[in-house]
Amino acid sequence: MKKHNFSAGPCILPQEVFQEASQAVINFNNTGLSILEISHRSKEFVAVMEDARQLALELLGLEGKGYKALFLQGGASMEFLMVAYNLLEKKAAYLNTGTWSSKAIKEAKLFGEVNVVASSEDKKYNYIPKGYMIPTDVDYFHCTSNNTIFGTQMKVFPTTPKPMVCDMSSDIFSRVLDFSKFDLIYAGAQKNMGPAGTTLVIVKEDLLGKVTRQIPSMLDYKVHIEKDSMFNTPAVYPVYVSYLTLKWLKAQGGIKAIEEKNEKKAALLYSEIDINPCFKGYTATEDRSIMNATFNLTDESLKEDFEAMLKEAGINGLNGHRSVGGYRASMYNALSLESVQVLVDVMSDLERKA
Ligand SMILES: *Cc1c(COP(=O)(O)O)cnc(C)c1O
């Protein structure tokens, strides 16, 4: 039976990518060797790493603009501390829009003063704060573009003369933005780009080398840049699968084309949430994420029926995050409009039955 995978992460990837990636486990590029057993210094893998780094910049429109792309390890969670280690001298400004921002704030506090410019914690992060001021005496401003857990997404970004750092783990490569507004972008691969095990970091080189503290090599962006993202053994297979996904995205027409598809999927689901009396959306309408849609049943007694129907339809991964409950439909790049239609049909069937 066909499965419709709405998992928040690790997430669905294109079927073509699964096919090609599985082939490489047996025989990588006709080398007669598995990608799992070759040296990361082999010319075949060095080419993958270089192409992947280049393709990431190309898709984001950042080629030739002073940026470097790195594939690091430790997840986006490692970037919470690496960002502060490398950039925070005295004070930094953070926008708190949810669990991931809070975790980034917690780590940054170990390195200096943190000014939380605004927070939506008062309403359990169901909206994006607006109209806040970013002080001018900070080293950088940090925000989270998409709230994977609560289902909100920043539609506009503030303007500040200070460096902008953004955790784009769950919406990178999903929509067109002026990425050159950001000085550092990071994203755990497993939300919209690849399997778990690598983190994409895009950093403007002139941002680095300004803090006075000593930075251990593994946590120093400059070291990773100097070593072409191969300071130590990189996550060979996750980088390879991410590379295949980026190639797939380019073949689809890049970010602009995928954004149109993502908007159609989100519009289809949100319109059902809005017209179907069995459901209500969790977030403020204007801040709704096109990647992660969160919603609840209006009548909890329908829970058993609804979940049996989901199972019957082959829908996977719809449970809300354990801290929020309810439902969350993650509609990453590789999810088809047909899968969203299957979910919407189940929702309207429930209304008929209720
Ligand atoms: C999942 C997620 C993280 C944490 O990623 P790990 O790779 O598990 O460390 C951080 N930020 C956002 C926005 C996320 O969605």
Side-chain angles (χ1 to χ4, degrees):
M1 172 208 227
K2 179 166 165 51
K3 291 282 184 173
H4 304 280
N5 189 10
F6 289 85
S7 172
C11 75
I12 183 173
L13 294 174
Q15 277 304 319
E16 302 94 296
V17 168
F18 288 140
Q19 290 295 340
E20 204 174 337
S22 61
Q23 176 56 37
V25 171
I26 308 300
N27 181 3
F28 174 51
N29 279 3
N30 285 321
T31 53
L33 295 165
S34 165
I35 187 157
L36 304 180
E37 64 181 338
I38 57 164
S39 167
H40 60 290
R41 307 275 177 207
S42 64
K43 73 173 190 327
E44 287 82 8
F45 184 71
V46 170
V48 166
M49 180 60 104
E50 281 316 300
D51 287 359
R53 295 174 69 202
Q54 194 275 332
L55 194 49
L57 293 178
E58 182 190 323
L59 286 163
L60 298 171
L62 292 178
E63 272 177 310
K65 294 187 178 163
Y67 291 85
K68 293 284 185 197
L70 300 170
F71 284 92
L72 305 181
Q73 295 182 61
S77 300
M78 184 68 95
E79 299 317 306
F80 297 162
L81 70 105
M82 262 178 95
V83 162
Y85 223 137
N86 284 262
L87 307 180
L88 178 47
E89 182 72 14
K90 276 208 177 72
K91 201 200 277 187
Y94 277 70
L95 177 64
N96 185 4
T97 52
T99 311
W100 300 117
S101 318
S102 312
K103 291 190 174 184
I105 290 167
K106 177 168 180 254
E107 300 305 304
K109 281 181 176 165
L110 299 171
F111 298 89
E113 199 183 318
V114 172
N115 181 331
V116 178
V117 295
S119 168
S120 47
E121 197 179 358
D122 58 334
K123 288 191 180 158
K124 229 181 156 203
Y125 299 116
N126 74 354
Y127 71 104
I128 298 282
K130 293 165 197 86
Y132 48 88
M133 297 291 285
I134 298 171
T136 50
D137 63 343
V138 293
D139 299 315
Y140 62 88
F141 168 70
H142 178 286
C143 58
T144 310
S145 56
N146 184 67
N147 239 295
T148 329
I149 293 177
F150 298 94
T152 58
Q153 186 173 38
M154 293 177 76
K155 306 294 175 184
V156 287
F157 290 85
T159 309
T160 168
K162 296 285 133 184
M164 296 250 293
V165 177
C166 191
D167 175 358
M168 294 195 188
S169 292
S170 51
D171 69 352
I172 194 157
F173 301 119
S174 72
R175 58 170 170 164
V176 175
L177 289 176
D178 178 2
F179 294 98
S180 69
K181 274 184 75 169
F182 302 92
D183 300 81
L184 193 153
I185 296 166
Y186 61 91
Q190 73 276 17
K191 302 285 165 49
N192 204 23
M193 182 178 68
T198 191
T199 313
L200 176 64
V201 176
I202 308 276
V203 57
K204 212 169 186 179
E205 268 197 285
D206 65 10
L207 189 65
L208 303 173
K210 295 187 180 151
V211 289
T212 51
R213 74 173 62 85
Q214 299 252 335
I215 305 172
S217 309
M218 269 300 279
L219 299 179
D220 190 342
Y221 292 125
K222 284 184 88 155
V223 169
H224 290 287
I225 289 172
E226 275 157 26
K227 299 293 181 189
D228 294 323
S229 203
M230 292 249 201
F231 170 68
N232 71 323
T233 318
V236 171
Y237 198 56
V239 171
Y240 177 64
V241 181
S242 300
Y243 170 58
L244 295 179
T245 312
L246 294 178
K247 280 209 300 188
W248 170 85
L249 178 56
K250 187 177 170 178
Q252 301 288 303
I255 296 180
K256 179 115 188 25
I258 212 80
E259 179 183 43
E260 282 169 24
K261 190 179 144 201
N262 288 336
E263 278 176 352
K264 276 199 194 116
K265 292 185 289 181
L268 176 61
L269 179 56
Y270 283 121
S271 67
E272 180 65 24
I273 291 170
D274 288 340
I275 58 162
N276 188 326
C278 298
F279 297 96
K280 69 173 187 301
Y282 177 75
T283 66
T285 309
E286 73 274 16
D287 300 324
R288 283 172 165 177
S289 167
I290 60 164
M291 290 279 98
N292 314 94
T294 48
F295 53 98
N296 294 80
L297 282 167
T298 47
D299 175 359
E300 275 303 311
S301 71
L302 297 172
K303 185 175 154 75
E304 221 172 286
D305 274 351
F306 182 50
E307 291 181 7
M309 290 162 71
L310 291 172
K311 198 163 173 218
E312 179 89 351
I315 291 172
N316 176 65
L318 205 74
N319 280 344
H321 187 268
R322 60 192 183 279
S323 64
V324 188
Y327 300 96
R328 169 175 53 172
S330 297
M331 300 173 281
Y332 296 120
N333 287 351
L335 187 84
S336 66
L337 184 65
E338 292 69 46
S339 287
V340 179
Q341 187 64 56
V342 169
L343 172 59
V344 164
D345 290 346
V346 169
M347 292 166 78
S348 47
D349 282 352
L350 183 74
E351 182 188 355
R352 266 188 297 277
K353 275 179 80 177

